[in-house]
Amino acid sequence: MCTTCGCQITSGNESQIPVEKSADGGATSVLTRLMAGNDLQADHNRMHFDQLGVLVINLMSSPGSGKTALLEATIVQGRERFRMAVIEGDLETENDALRIRAHGVQAHQITTGSACHLDAHLVHEALHKIDFSGIDVLFIENVGNLVCPASFDLGHHLNVILLSVAEGDDKPAKYPVMFRAADVMLITKTDLSPYLDEFSNERAAQNLRNLANQVPIFHLSARNGEGIDVWLDWMEEQIQLQKQHVKNRPSFRPVRQPDAGLHATRILLSPVHPVSKS
Amino acid sequence: MHELSLCDDLIRQVQLLADQHHAQNIARVTVSLGTLSGVEPVLLVQAFEILKAGTAASNARLIINTVPVRIRCDHCGREADVDPNRLICPACKSLDTQLLSGSEFILSQVELFVAS
Ligand SMILES: Nc1nc2c(ncn2[C@@H]2O[C@H](COP(=O)(O)OP(=O)(O)OP(=O)(O)O)[C@@H](O)[C@H]2O)c(=O)[nH]1
Ligand SMILES: [Zn+2]
Ligand SMILES: [Zn+2]
Ligand SMILES: [Zn+2]
Ligand SMILES: [Zn+2]
């Protein structure tokens, strides 16, 4: 698939940067955007996904918030509504992928890389191992971690962030980089709410709104199925939106795209001072 | 420790610039780092010290300019420096705000030694 689509663009050859000398011959500015390796790869991945007409969702949360359980509930209750595939980013074990495959859904386990986050290169390797025929949505279950994954664009379209009632309503205030990037926040394990009265839905919502993030907040339980229907409605809507966007490209990008990442938009090379060895 | 992979990219970019300008050595690398970038300055410095070995930046100093989180309110037009977890307008409490700065991780300056 990559021979025709520009996989050969690498951070190596992207860097044929035109250099402008300033009038006084001193400072040299490089005005071309210099893309970091990950972001370049992420854009490349997104191009694949858009060509395939697939919506790609990055699931992020603390370890154990219920990402895999949500995927299982989504498969069981959403089977009739859309077809999905999964990339699992749990780097230590195959457990999550086995759980997904048990439901008859394709799951590719990423088994190499640094153990704290996925990056666009790992996702690129994985995406070429997936059969996308008939697939509407690809879920990428990121590594359970509220810090690192927020810094890596995978080439996905939407960030779904889970917050379980067991882990405290202050998480959006403590991890603003992650929660600011949410396209939807899911409060999970609501079946446990009766036992966890210190978790306040209002405070959790307020902490998200304090980040000027106005995205929807859904409450659901993968255990008893409560709220899964609302989530599935939203999913179906996003899949339709992606299909429309793909028609009138360019497709939409994660909300954090415009200003985040290692994007050097302007590089100033200082006047060169030869080392004086006196 | 995602600072390692981000720093790896940074050093690669700096090395490229050094190559293009036929520089012998890099004296200083300056980055602008927003407090909402998700990058920890201390960890970035550690990563830089580890990864610069064997590159043109092996003797370089990393300078980090911290960029405050600043927003503009679409509702009342005011601009303000805010905490990373309070991005609403401090004046009118509107959620319709734009981030003006604070999420960036930008290579802003590279100082090269070139034999004359
Ligand atoms: N009561 C209850 N337990 C849940 C729910 N969802 C998940 N769990 C349990 O929480 C634990 C962790 O769930 P997982 O789905 O593995 O969580 P995860 O986010 O995929 O975890 P990592 O991949 O390790 O980050 C398991 O024991 C699940 O059975 C829920 O809605 N209600
Ligand atoms: Zn490719
Ligand atoms: Zn999981
Ligand atoms: Zn990481
Ligand atoms: Zn205002």
Side-chain angles (χ1 to χ4, degrees), chain A:
Chain A
M1 150 172 12
C2 284
T3 46
T4 54
C5 66
C7 260
Q8 50 280 23
I9 301 170
T10 63
S11 45
N13 57 30
E14 173 72 5
S15 57
Q16 321 290 330
I17 312 161
V19 174
E20 294 175 15
K21 288 268 187 239
S22 64
D24 61 8
T28 307
S29 334
V30 185
L31 298 167
T32 307
R33 179 168 176 245
L34 190 68
M35 283 178 108
N38 186 72
D39 291 335
L40 196 67
Q41 182 66 64
D43 278 348
H44 173 85
N45 293 355
R46 198 154 23 240
M47 184 186 59
H48 279 304
F49 296 138
D50 291 347
Q51 279 171 353
L52 293 161
V54 173
L55 175 71
V56 183
I57 292 189
N58 182 20
L59 285 180
M60 295 186 284
S61 78
S62 306
S65 301
K67 297 179 292 297
T68 311
L70 172 71
L71 288 175
E72 292 178 284
T74 304
I75 295 167
V76 171
Q77 294 190 49
R79 245 185 232 294
E80 309 295 318
R81 302 175 67 169
F82 45 78
R83 288 195 53 199
M84 53 192 265
V86 176
I87 292 177
E88 282 293 347
D90 184 0
L91 303 172
E92 295 301 322
T93 68
E94 282 261 325
N95 295 357
D96 286 359
L98 292 173
R99 281 164 67 186
I100 300 300
R101 286 185 205 127
H103 295 277
V105 164
Q106 267 190 92
H108 181 83
Q109 181 84 43
I110 291 177
T111 47
T112 53
S114 65
C116 57
H117 62 269
L118 293 183
D119 66 31
H121 300 281
L122 293 172
V123 168
H124 184 253
E125 280 172 37
L127 80 87
H128 286 296
K129 300 196 172 100
I130 291 170
D131 174 11
F132 281 101
S133 47
I135 298 295
D136 301 301
V137 55
L138 172 70
F139 286 100
I140 303 174
E141 180 181 334
N142 217 311
V143 182
N145 177 343
L146 286 176
V147 183
C148 308
S151 293
F152 295 86
D153 185 359
L154 306 178
H156 58 285
H157 303 102
L158 295 167
N159 288 319
V160 172
I161 303 190
L162 289 73
L163 173 60
S164 75
V165 295
E167 62 192 291
D169 51 38
D170 58 350
K171 288 294 173 292
K174 284 187 178 161
Y175 300 95
V177 179
M178 168 75 61
F179 283 89
R180 192 172 83 85
D183 292 295
V184 66
M185 180 167 85
L186 305 180
I187 310 255
T188 62
K189 308 194 187 181
T190 54
D191 59 293
L192 297 178
S193 295
Y195 315 103
L196 294 158
D197 48 3
E198 62 274 32
F199 186 95
S200 152
N201 286 328
E202 289 68 36
R203 277 198 302 268
Q206 191 54 55
N207 285 330
L208 183 71
R209 299 306 176 221
N210 282 345
L211 305 176
N213 192 335
Q214 311 193 46
V215 300
I217 300 172
F218 302 141
H219 301 81
L220 54 85
S221 163
R223 183 62 52 86
N224 66 16
E226 181 183 35
I228 298 289
D229 49 342
V230 179
W231 153 250
L232 292 178
D233 289 346
W234 181 84
M235 278 297 312
E236 207 168 346
E237 199 181 314
Q238 301 310 311
I239 289 168
Q240 291 315 319
L241 279 173
Q242 164 68 347
K243 290 198 196 298
Q244 280 166 31
H245 277 281
V246 165
K247 262 189 229 151
N248 342 311
R249 30 190 94 243
S251 81
F252 63 119
R253 321 177 107 218
V255 280
R256 68 177 192 77
Q257 271 309 104
D259 51 36
L262 181 68
H263 289 170
T265 46
R266 184 151 195 271
I267 293 176
L268 287 173
L269 296 172
S270 300
V272 166
H273 303 297
V275 205
S276 59
K277 294 230 171 77
S278 55

Side-chain angles (χ1 to χ4, degrees), chain A residues 15 173 210 214 259 269 273, chain B residues 20-21 85 87 96 103 109 113:
Chain A
S15 57
N210 282 345
Q214 311 193 46
D259 51 36
L269 296 172
H273 303 297
Chain B
Q20 277 168 356
H21 293 266
N85 59 10
L87 307 178
D96 292 317
S103 71
Q109 205 167 66
F113 287 126

